[in-house]
Amino acid sequence: MNSSHASISNQVALLSLLKEHFGFTSFRPLQEEIIRDALAGRDVVALLPTGGGKSLCFQLAALARPGLTVVISPLIALMKDQVDALQANGIAATFLNSSLTAQESHDRLQSLHRGDYRLLYIAPERLMLPGSLNDLLKWQVNLLAIDEAHCISEWGHDFRPVYRRLVELRDRFPALPIMALTATATIRVRDDIRTLLRLEDGASYVASFNRPNLRYRVQAKVNPSEQVLAVLQAQPHESGIVYCQSRKATEQLAERLQAYGILAKPYHAGLPTKERIRHQELFLRDEIQVICATIAFGMGINKSNVRFVIHYDLPKNLESYYQETGRAGRDGLPSDCVLLFSAGDTVKQQRFINEKPDMKEQQIARAQLEQMVQYAESATCRRVELLRYFGEEVAQENCGACDNCLSPRDAYDGTEDVITVLSCVAQIRLKSGFGVGQNHVIEVLSGAKTEKVRRWGHERLAAYGKGKNVHSRPEWAAICRELIKLGYLQQTTEPFTILELTPQGRDFLQVRQPVMLTKPMSAPERKAAPSGDLAHDEELFNRLRQLRKKVADERDVPAYVVFSDVALRQMAREYPTNDREFLQVSGVGSRKLEEFGAIFLSTITEHLGAHSRQNFPKESSVNQSPLAARKKSLGNTVQETLRSFRSGKSVEEIAKQRGLVTSTIYSHLEQAIQAGESIDINQLLTPAHQTRIAAAFAQTGFGNLTGAKELLHDLYDYGQLRLFRAVHGKRNQ
Ligand code: ADP
Ligand code: MG
Ligand code: ZN
């Protein structure tokens, strides 16, 4: 057999392994490339966003040949989860960490010596023990996967000093390929991973960090617990995380929600370990609906059906915000990210920052806070803003899934409002001889009868009550903030927080100029209509969900280990009634068919006996990769590739120049085409080649890339074929 045949059968083998073991029919972007490189013995750095499917990269590689894949993972809970999920798919996997008894460890080591496992998850501390390193020599290890690789960097959010020691493995096992995986979006951390693990010569795969299935919203924080309740009521059976800043707030909110009959628990580092772990477990197992948590909660939470993440308080910076919201919708289904924003929170945070002893730290924190506030108050696309922060440019301005895109905040002629606010500030200063904070200004504007207003005689000001019927108080607060941004007002913090006119503000009161302001965001706004792919038989879905819970409890695993929400929704849409149909469901591989097929099928059949079948349009994006499903925005890495390509460079040249592999470049070009850009295919393939490829696809259909490749005797890369397909597939639509 020549080598090209071997590679064709490898391709076929990978896809059939994917269906057989994991129940999926196609790869997510870059998964296949990453796996192929690892199998070829190359080092790989895989930078895919949360939910991008990183685990599958090393899990499938582990199954593609004999031997053991060792996975380094920083969290004990995470290891157990992943091993549970693998075992549910019938894959021999295990873990070693400090949670095991001596006897358990001993037993597992014995099995490892016998070669019983394909995957071993291990804590880095444990791996770096001399005994473990010796064991590795005996176990026929052929891949070392380092998950959550950002833990190696001090610039990341989860620095673990022990990760630094992993580089020693390079010397001990020079031939052992390493796959480092992370969802970190910052360049600095990515560089650290490459240099500290000595992966400079390896391939780097970078996917877009856009999360198309996440909907971003910012609401003025008016009555936060009500606002949380509103999100919950909009999706009464779904679960989510509410991030609060303080430990106390997590407890209070959890209590408040409980009073409304919602199953909620707090989570923070101050809880006794046992309780903390129990609350996490309850959440992972769908026993409670909401976890009210500090940022201590999250890394490595693999629960794939988190449907919302609410920020009750303002996060420290945009990176944290991105990571925390990223825990929603790992399964690719639409999920909500809601940020409750109040200027008061900003002031509170500023105070924290002022208490930091280190000036440099203060400076950084202040700049980060400012970016965060800018994000919250921005009237442009949230997604664009977030991605831009990480250096990704987005081609499409309207993402269709953030508050600003769904209901654009218009600009309006705000000249009158500006006069109202500025004169109020001026009058207070004139009458009292001192400045006051923004809150008091707004109280005067809205005609509040507070003790201070009376004491200072501010109800006699011309400005008193002038804004009462014009805007609500939060709206006035937003206007004040915009005026600060526009330079008419400034906020001084020493010794008190005071709102003052700037020279520009004083000038304005002399010579008025028209000013455009952004329409203030009002409190809770209308929600995006759920996208079509959510449509399913709700009653059957709930029934299946209960069944899943029962089955999961019997096996003592989290529900999503049995089936994902994606799978249940598909069942509640397509009503499979036999094994063949059941196998079509995403996530149903041979083991799950065998183990759960009968019981799920009989529930569906039973349901159909009493209810009529509803009709749903054939689903489009659910079974596909959620990332590929709606690639409207282009990251700047894609843009850069596109620019180089258009300037006449070949794919190989671009790859070399950018230190990426060619398949990444092909994937960039494909993303560009999907986002509506056009590329000149003649630059890639001569007309003669195009004719041959067209003939092959005509025979196999555009869906069958592997088949076409085989027909063409492996003369073309997957990348070339994909691009050809992208270009022509589009033309045919
Ligand atoms: P990450 O570690 O990158 O955040 P995970 O490995 O936890 O992501 O995967 C997220 C979800 O995507 C999981 O539920 C997983 O089963 C699913 N998934 C991974 N690869 C595929 C695929 N090729 N097709 C469908 N679903 C997939
Ligand atoms: Mg992961
Ligand atoms: Zn948007």
Side-chain angles (χ1 to χ4, degrees), residues 54-55 78 82 147-148 302 330:
K54 288 184 287 296
S55 323
L78 189 129
Q82 292 221 355
D147 204 5
E148 314 288 348
N302 264 331
R330 269 170 187 262

Side-chain angles (χ1 to χ4, degrees), residues 551-721:
V551 168
D553 287 348
E554 283 165 9
R555 286 163 181 74
D556 197 26
V557 295
Y560 59 89
V561 163
V562 174
F563 283 124
S564 68
D565 277 18
V566 177
L568 292 197
R569 287 187 191 193
Q570 198 181 339
M571 292 178 209
R573 199 167 44 234
E574 294 175 0
Y575 305 94
T577 50
N578 57 43
D579 283 5
R580 194 181 46 79
E581 287 168 4
F582 199 67
L583 257 181
Q584 302 295 308
V585 174
S586 168
V588 179
S590 57
R591 168 61 69 99
K592 286 191 177 169
L593 172 68
E594 192 182 308
E595 192 161 353
F596 308 122
I599 169 164
F600 276 79
L601 283 171
S602 77
T603 301
I604 294 168
T605 310
E606 206 180 292
H607 177 87
L608 282 174
H611 304 79
S612 55
R613 177 191 280 261
Q614 299 176 33
N615 263 323
F616 301 98
K618 189 85 184 129
E619 47 88 30
S620 53
S621 68
V622 169
N623 213 5
Q624 262 182 40
S625 118
L627 296 163
R630 203 151 44 91
K631 250 184 233 139
K632 283 181 182 164
S633 45
L634 286 185
N636 75 353
T637 170
V638 174
Q639 302 244 5
E640 196 179 324
T641 295
L642 190 59
R643 262 194 304 276
S644 303
F645 184 76
R646 284 182 175 157
S647 78
K649 292 214 170 69
S650 74
V651 169
E652 287 72 23
E653 281 168 338
I654 303 171
K656 192 147 172 250
Q657 180 193 344
R658 306 200 50 200
L660 298 170
V661 291
T662 50
S663 48
T664 296
I665 304 299
Y666 280 120
S667 141
H668 286 169
L669 292 173
E670 196 188 359
Q671 284 177 43
I673 292 170
Q674 276 157 357
E677 301 284 342
S678 59
I679 71 154
D680 183 7
I681 189 86
N682 295 318
Q683 212 179 307
L684 281 173
L685 296 161
T686 64
H689 285 308
Q690 290 181 46
T691 314
R692 284 171 74 178
I693 296 174
F697 273 128
Q699 214 168 322
T700 63
F702 269 123
N704 187 354
L705 211 56
T706 314
K709 191 165 189 283
E710 196 164 354
L711 261 183
L712 290 161
H713 305 293
D714 213 20
L715 273 172
Y716 304 92
D717 285 351
Y718 274 95
Q720 289 172 311
L721 297 182

Side-chain angles (χ1 to χ4, degrees), residues 384-546:
V384 168
E385 297 261 320
L386 266 181
L387 291 174
R388 188 169 290 156
Y389 177 77
F390 299 117
E392 237 185 277
E393 282 301 326
V394 180
Q396 196 125 354
E397 285 291 316
N398 189 316
C399 76
C402 79
D403 48 3
N404 287 335
C405 288
L406 288 166
S407 38
R409 289 164 58 206
D410 305 325
Y412 70 104
D413 179 352
T415 318
E416 280 306 312
D417 287 347
V418 181
I419 296 171
T420 308
V421 174
L422 297 189
S423 359
C424 182
V425 174
Q427 286 171 24
I428 292 174
R429 164 66 81 176
L430 199 66
K431 162 130 185 97
S432 301
F434 53 80
V436 298
Q438 178 178 300
N439 264 343
H440 185 76
V441 172
I442 292 169
E443 289 189 330
V444 172
L445 271 182
S446 41
K449 297 186 174 58
T450 68
E451 196 268 325
K452 275 186 191 162
V453 166
R454 232 168 294 132
R455 176 148 45 95
W456 293 336
H458 287 170
E459 75 267 44
R460 291 195 298 277
L461 295 176
Y464 184 73
K466 201 133 187 232
K468 192 171 176 177
N469 298 318
V470 187
H471 293 295
S472 67
R473 289 184 193 200
E475 289 174 358
W476 280 117
I479 292 173
C480 286
R481 286 192 301 275
E482 193 165 10
L483 291 181
I484 295 173
K485 244 196 310 194
L486 293 173
Y488 294 97
L489 288 173
Q490 63 189 9
Q491 212 155 15
T492 54
T493 45
E494 293 303 321
F496 307 108
T497 313
I498 280 171
L499 199 59
E500 282 190 320
L501 293 181
T502 59
Q504 184 190 336
R506 274 193 290 274
D507 288 350
F508 176 88
L509 286 177
Q510 305 292 326
V511 188
R512 293 167 186 182
Q513 305 265 336
V515 185
M516 296 303 283
L517 294 180
T518 311
K519 277 237 171 84
M521 59 187 164
S522 32
E525 347 131 15
R526 67 189 153 93
K527 200 174 133 74
S531 37
D533 53 18
L534 278 174
H536 56 264
D537 185 327
E538 193 64 38
E539 200 177 327
L540 175 57
F541 179 70
N542 284 331
R543 205 156 160 176
L544 294 173
R545 190 189 341 231
Q546 279 161 21

Side-chain angles (χ1 to χ4, degrees), residues 46 69 136 151 216 252 274 284 308 322 412 499:
T69 290
L136 286 194
C151 291
Y216 299 99
Q252 285 170 341
K274 238 177 141 178
L284 295 181
F308 58 85
Y322 176 82
Y412 70 104
L499 199 59

Side-chain angles (χ1 to χ4, degrees), residues 66-82:
L68 181 71
T69 290
V70 171
V71 185
I72 295 168
S73 172
L75 284 182
I76 290 175
L78 189 129
M79 291 184 207
K80 181 167 176 341
D81 268 21
Q82 292 221 355

